[in-house]
Amino acid sequence: MSRTLRLSAMGSRVGALASPGLALLLSLTAHCSGPQAKGLPKGGLNASEANTWVRNNTSLLQNFWCLPASQLPREQLSSLIRSLASQRVALKAWQLSCLANLAAQLGLQDDFEFHPPSLLLFYDLSQVGDTNCRAFIHHAAQGDTELLTNLPNQRVALQRTALACLGGPHLQLSASDLWLLGVLVCDMEAAQIVTADPSVLKNLLRCPRLTVMQTAALNTLLASGKTQIGPPGSWNLQGLQALGLLATYISPDLWEKVQEAVGLDFFRSVVAACRAGQLSRHDARRFVDNFLESKATSVSSRPKRRTGRSCVRGNITAATLHDDLFLVHYDCTQLESCLGTRVLRANLDPLLQHPLPAECQRVVKAKLTQIYPHGIPEDQLHLIPSLVYLYSLAEIGQWNITSGDTVIILLASDAALDNQTEAVLQRFLDHNGKVTGALLVAIGGSRLCWMSLKQLQFIQPSEFRLAGAPDISPCPQSRKDALFIKAREAFRNTSNVGEYYYLIRPYLGGAPLEELQYLAQANISMDIDTFTNLNPLTLKSMGVDSVRNLLGQNLGDLRKARNHPNVILWMHSHNMTDLSDMGLYTSPTLAYVTNRPPNTAYPPSSLIHDLDPPGNDGVSHTSGSPPVHLGYLSLAVALPSSLLWLLLCQLPSGQMATTHRTLGPMVLAQGSRTPEHQIPEKRSC
């Protein structure tokens, strides 16, 4: 091999693992990573340099794949898992669930202290002993519980295990209890939050969102004055800023009790953070709506309402729009009266950088219609992603969209409605635009749900190989079916079934029965996350033996998802005698609290009369792992060449030997873009 590595003296055991596998690993990953990885220096790498190279290219490990990993011996799998922890590689639920099973089979679960926190969420909790219970729960509570969306029973078991570690349910959670529970507090009832030690605010800061009841509990706790920032009348800027996103949930009633100068200072800081892209538009608008409601009757900060549409605050100028207190001085009525079209045309960008209330956004949209009666010019479309949801499909039909960058700006915004996708893309296609894999990655895979069947046909099969692993679970079943047919066309010539499964997996929600039976016979060991997102009616038709073969080594995960709606439907179509052989001894019921329901089609209401799925408000998040102090070799030094199977990349035909044919085409990391789509992100509140 032309490239050699100058490894430090690490003993014969290390050398056996590192050479020649390390050189092959680094050279091939550098070759197949494209712009994501930095090339290797011609002189090779020493151990320290190898560590740096791996840290700079950990996105390759996000393509982790359980099928080849299942062939790794215990020591190598352990090294891989520890490397995932040390490099804080963010894996998806479908990767973590099967990885947890592999670790359990090889007896690695007891090494949980060195594993990624989110991986612990998927472990068999019945194997957690009393002696290490607290350490296990505390480490797991640093993970992302949103990953358990499709495993309701596991989420409930996690709560029960945590409370058991505390000695049983408490009337009041102490500070030490809260330290142990971490993010698990986000699944607790409002009553438990109100009675908890005031340090519960630290736990709530980690919640991706608060429910209505949790928001009420937060305001009750803040109103009591028992938290570190004291009663509302004594709040200062530093205390409010220490609340982080929790401050955006403060109710109007509490803002009325805050000193005016303090409230205005905090308002400035929120708007400044939003305009700088440090705070999401959604969070900023929640705060602004609450704050302005509290000031609506204040003579000092709001003008008295007068009849008619007269401007009493003074005409809005460019300087006015750069004031962070602009929305305090001008309500939506005054915005309509005091903002001239000439100023708006020249200052649309700074105006929309403010977190405008919905009523004010409608005022701006109406004025833009006056300025551009025949449709907004493309350069101005780049400035209005926060207003897109206000436009009808007919109005979008007047836009000239010639650039993929414009599509990305409009559709990647969380303000765009799903049913606007087809209209925006059609205007792009009308100007000879092309829907590429990179474009799909940039606007988000869920947009596939809303493309017309005709638009889907415009996507070349090769582009599906570049589209990553889109999440189409929110799609209606008819669209999942269509997407599966298109994806199967794209991947049908894949050389082996393992690689085919890796590529087709995101689209299996639309797979017909014969496809699932084929995969069941191929020993692919489907992960439980993919299984719960299958077509529920197709799944219902599968026999017990077919499901057993389909899940393979992941069969035990059915117990963790027993109360998932799709699993309930399947279980009700079989007798309990057959199901008991699979460890499913009881009829499913669903009694758990989450902030987000499973992204899947639900069975008929007659089968889920006992379900109470909460609302879907937000997106899942991936939390990183805390620093882990490990006494083991780094990925670059410890992992052998067999781990190349975990790094999927596209190599020219014939370049890789037959023994490595399990390597598939490299998929783009989520959110990555090709150079043509590397545009400056436009921040708009």
Side-chain angles (χ1 to χ4, degrees):
M1 184 170 293
S2 59
R3 291 180 178 174
T4 59
L5 300 172
R6 302 186 299 273
L7 297 176
S8 303
M10 294 185 179
S12 58
R13 174 176 169 275
V14 175
L17 287 173
S19 179
L22 177 59
L24 182 60
L25 172 65
L26 295 185
S27 63
L28 281 179
T29 51
H31 168 82
C32 71
S33 60
Q36 294 183 5
K38 297 177 172 58
L40 292 169
K42 295 182 179 180
L45 295 174
N46 58 33
S48 176
E49 292 169 338
N51 292 345
T52 301
W53 187 92
V54 170
R55 282 195 300 270
N56 292 336
N57 295 279
T58 52
S59 61
L60 293 173
L61 281 179
Q62 290 176 334
N63 293 327
F64 169 82
W65 182 18
C66 270
L67 185 60
S70 65
Q71 303 176 40
L72 294 177
R74 185 180 190 278
E75 186 176 8
Q76 294 174 10
L77 184 65
S78 177
S79 294
L80 172 64
I81 294 175
R82 292 177 176 224
S83 296
L84 292 171
S86 65
Q87 303 301 329
R88 304 185 187 183
V89 178
L91 297 181
K92 303 294 180 60
W94 71 272
Q95 297 168 307
L96 289 166
S97 62
C98 60
L99 180 59
N101 290 331
L102 292 179
Q105 290 168 15
L106 296 180
L108 296 176
Q109 183 168 322
D110 289 341
D111 297 332
F112 64 84
E113 295 176 85
F114 307 119
H115 295 178
S118 290
L119 181 60
L120 273 62
L121 301 175
F122 294 84
Y123 279 152
D124 184 354
L125 300 177
S126 66
Q127 301 301 313
V128 178
D130 294 338
T131 56
N132 57 12
C133 175
R134 295 181 68 89
F136 182 93
I137 289 298
H138 178 63
H139 193 44
Q142 310 309 309
D144 180 10
T145 54
E146 294 291 282
L147 292 165
L148 296 177
T149 293
N150 290 323
L151 297 179
N153 296 83
Q154 181 74 355
R155 196 156 181 168
V156 170
L158 190 64
Q159 283 282 335
R160 290 174 178 170
T161 303
L163 292 176
C165 286
L166 297 176
H170 283 38
L171 293 177
Q172 182 176 3
L173 296 172
S174 66
S176 61
D177 294 338
L178 295 169
W179 176 85
L180 176 76
L181 293 173
V183 73
L184 301 182
V185 170
C186 299
D187 279 352
M188 291 189 171
E189 300 289 345
Q192 293 174 286
I193 295 174
V194 172
T195 59
D197 183 90
S199 62
V200 71
L201 297 183
K202 295 179 181 178
N203 300 74
L204 296 179
L205 269 172
R206 298 189 53 196
C207 302
R209 71 201 64 82
L210 298 183
T211 65
V212 173
M213 296 303 294
Q214 288 173 335
T215 299
L218 169 67
N219 280 283
T220 298
L221 193 60
L222 292 173
S224 71
K226 297 178 181 179
T227 67
Q228 188 174 358
I229 65 173
S234 67
W235 291 355
N236 55 38
L237 179 61
Q238 292 72 28
L240 287 168
Q241 290 176 333
L243 289 177
L245 285 180
L246 295 182
T248 66
Y249 290 94
I250 295 177
S251 67
D253 291 343
L254 284 189
W255 281 120
E256 290 181 8
K257 300 176 182 179
V258 179
Q259 296 179 41
E260 183 176 22
V262 172
L264 294 178
D265 283 345
F266 187 68
F267 191 98
R268 287 191 185 93
S269 69
V270 169
V271 173
C274 185
R275 295 171 70 177
Q278 299 168 352
L279 182 66
S280 76
R281 177 187 57 82
H282 179 76
D283 292 328
R285 279 184 58 189
R286 178 173 57 239
F287 159 74
V288 167
D289 288 344
N290 287 337
F291 187 88
L292 293 183
E293 182 179 341
S294 74
K295 303 300 179 185
T297 58
S298 172
V299 176
S300 61
S301 61
R302 311 291 287 178
K304 292 182 178 180
R305 293 294 182 98
R306 296 185 180 183
T307 58
R309 295 286 180 177
S310 60
C311 175
V312 298
R313 276 292 187 181
N315 290 333
I316 295 173
T317 65
T320 308
L321 293 175
H322 284 86
D323 182 0
D324 288 335
L325 292 179
F326 166 71
L327 290 176
V328 175
H329 300 313
Y330 289 85
D331 63 15
C332 299
T333 300
Q334 286 296 289
L335 176 66
E336 182 177 10
S337 302
C338 302
L339 179 61
T341 55
R342 181 178 299 179
V343 174
L344 175 60
R345 185 198 295 261
N347 297 277
L348 180 59
D349 188 28
L351 172 60
L352 294 182
Q353 286 183 18
H354 289 275
L356 300 177
E359 182 184 351
C360 293
Q361 289 182 325
R362 286 190 286 270
V363 169
V364 176
K365 190 249 185 180
K367 288 181 176 291
L368 287 175
T369 302
Q370 297 175 14
I371 298 173
Y372 306 111
H374 303 297
I376 299 177
E378 185 164 17
D379 62 329
Q380 297 298 292
L381 290 177
H382 287 214
L383 305 177
I384 68 161
S386 61
L387 303 181
V388 173
Y389 77 100
L390 294 172
Y391 285 85
S392 68
L393 302 184
E395 289 172 319
I396 293 174
Q398 294 181 304
W399 297 348
N400 288 324
I401 301 177
T402 63
S403 166
D405 292 345
T406 305
V407 175
I408 292 171
I409 290 172
L410 293 175
L411 294 185
S413 165
D414 59 358
L417 301 178
D418 289 334
N419 64 359
Q420 294 175 316
T421 299
E422 180 181 348
V424 170
L425 284 174
Q426 192 57 50
R427 296 304 296 151
F428 178 54
L429 294 172
D430 290 343
H431 289 85
N432 299 317
K434 181 180 179 182
V435 179
T436 65
L439 181 62
L440 293 175
V441 169
I443 65 176
S446 62
R447 293 290 174 185
L448 283 166
C449 303
W450 296 96
M451 295 178 64
S452 69
L453 295 177
K454 183 178 180 180
Q455 289 174 342
L456 285 175
Q457 295 307 313
F458 277 106
I459 306 177
Q460 295 300 314
S462 58
E463 299 299 338
F464 273 80
R465 289 181 172 266
L466 300 174
D471 178 13
I472 65 169
S473 56
C475 295
Q477 190 59 53
S478 60
R479 194 49 44 87
K480 291 180 182 179
D481 297 344
L483 285 168
F484 173 78
I485 293 173
K486 189 70 178 179
R488 185 166 57 182
E489 177 187 356
F491 305 134
R492 63 185 177 185
N493 293 325
T494 306
S495 59
N496 75 44
V497 68
E499 180 184 341
Y500 172 74
Y501 171 70
Y502 181 89
L503 296 171
I504 201 72
R505 184 200 59 79
Y507 305 95
L508 288 176
L513 181 61
E514 57 269 22
E515 178 77 11
L516 299 180
Q517 290 174 335
Y518 163 72
L519 292 174
Q521 297 170 1
N523 298 319
I524 49 87
S525 291
M526 179 178 287
D527 61 275
I528 192 66
D529 200 66
T530 300
F531 180 83
T532 53
N533 280 300
L534 297 176
N535 183 339
L537 297 181
T538 301
L539 182 59
K540 180 182 177 182
S541 302
M542 294 192 69
V544 170
D545 289 338
S546 293
V547 168
R548 179 184 286 109
N549 293 334
L550 184 63
L551 290 174
Q553 62 190 13
N554 299 318
L555 180 63
D557 286 339
L558 266 181
R559 292 191 297 273
K560 301 176 183 177
R562 189 177 66 251
N563 289 333
H564 186 283
N566 284 3
V567 177
I568 290 175
L569 181 62
W570 177 76
M571 290 181 64
H572 277 267
S573 64
H574 297 83
N575 63 64
M576 287 307 301
T577 301
D578 293 336
L579 296 175
S580 63
D581 293 337
M582 306 174 74
L584 303 174
Y585 303 107
T586 58
S587 181
T589 58
L590 191 59
Y592 73 105
V593 178
T594 67
N595 290 334
R596 183 185 179 195
N599 285 330
T600 186
Y602 281 74
S605 58
S606 60
L607 293 181
I608 56 172
H609 61 275
D610 57 342
L611 305 187
D612 185 21
N616 187 352
D617 177 25
V619 297
S620 59
H621 300 263
T622 303
S623 61
S625 306
V628 182
H629 302 286
L630 304 176
Y632 61 93
L633 302 176
S634 71
L635 170 69
V637 178
L639 300 186
S641 59
S642 55
L643 291 191
L644 287 171
W645 287 358
L646 308 180
L647 307 175
L648 302 183
C649 61
Q650 188 171 14
L651 297 176
S653 176
Q655 184 163 340
M656 180 166 284
T658 305
T659 55
H660 293 294
R661 291 300 295 272
T662 52
L663 281 172
M666 190 184 96
V667 293
L668 296 178
Q670 184 178 8
S672 63
R673 300 176 181 176
T674 56
E676 70 173 302
H677 292 296
Q678 289 176 343
I679 58 175
E681 183 176 359
K682 189 66 183 175
R683 300 288 186 179
S684 177
C685 290

